[in-house]
Amino acid sequence: YVGTFEVKSDSMAPMKRRFELEAVRKNPLTVESPCAHAEGKESEASSSKNIALLKKVAWDTAIAPIKQFGMTIFMLFMMGNGLHIMNMLFTFYQLMVPIRALSNTSTVFERFTSSLDSGVLFQYKTVYILSQFLILMVFAGKFWIMGLLPSAPADWMPLWPVPQSDFIAGGVQM
């Protein structure tokens, strides 16, 4: 004979539980839910704590790109401004990170859509997008310093129209 047991709670405290062994044929193992975790009995204090925790996690998600960008800035500084292959590879690779992150913004905040209202979530998404644009601007500055962005008039010279000459060699007009 193997006894089965049923857990019954005498008080609200989780440490004060009494276990009784008795033979139950219909349902050999029955466990009652503790008071705080019963379905539909979640207190308002715990739900407000959950919302506050979700807001904190959403804020941490929104500013995570800026937190992670410190080491990248240090590596950009250590690589210098020279135009060599390692510097260009690193800079182009790091440029793709915020572009990919901007395209995946909705999937990053997907886990918060059911719990947070859309106004609060919009604020966090805005902070996330602005931080990604800030990172893009830093890399645009890096490309400008390296001389890879066309910023001088001479960079656009091939696009200027070539004036047609009405003279043939020797000063004779056509």
Side-chain angles (χ1 to χ4, degrees), residues 9-14 16-17 35:
S9 175
D10 287 341
S11 67
M12 299 290 282
K16 295 182 180 181
R17 302 260 188 238
C35 303

Side-chain angles (χ1 to χ4, degrees), residues 156-166:
W156 301 100
M157 193 175 283
L159 300 177
W160 291 354
V162 177
Q164 293 295 325
S165 175
D166 291 339

Side-chain angles (χ1 to χ4, degrees), residues 101-128:
L102 283 172
S103 66
N104 294 331
T105 300
S106 60
T107 57
V108 169
F109 289 96
E110 187 176 283
R111 60 185 171 160
F112 302 113
T113 55
S114 63
S115 303
L116 296 176
D117 56 330
S118 62
V120 174
L121 197 58
F122 177 74
Q123 292 173 353
Y124 295 134
K125 283 183 179 182
T126 304
V127 169
Y128 182 79

Side-chain angles (χ1 to χ4, degrees), residues 165-174:
S165 175
D166 291 339
F167 294 97
I168 299 179
V172 179
Q173 276 191 345
M174 286 181 53

Side-chain angles (χ1 to χ4, degrees), residues 81-83 140-151 155:
N81 297 328
L83 194 59
K142 177 70 173 179
F143 282 128
W144 180 74
I145 290 171
M146 290 170 56
L148 294 176
L149 285 182
S151 57
D155 294 332

Side-chain angles (χ1 to χ4, degrees), residues 18-32:
R18 189 176 79 230
F19 298 99
E20 296 177 359
L21 293 174
E22 59 186 50
V24 179
R25 291 188 178 187
K26 294 179 184 174
N27 192 359
L29 181 62
T30 305
V31 179
E32 293 179 8

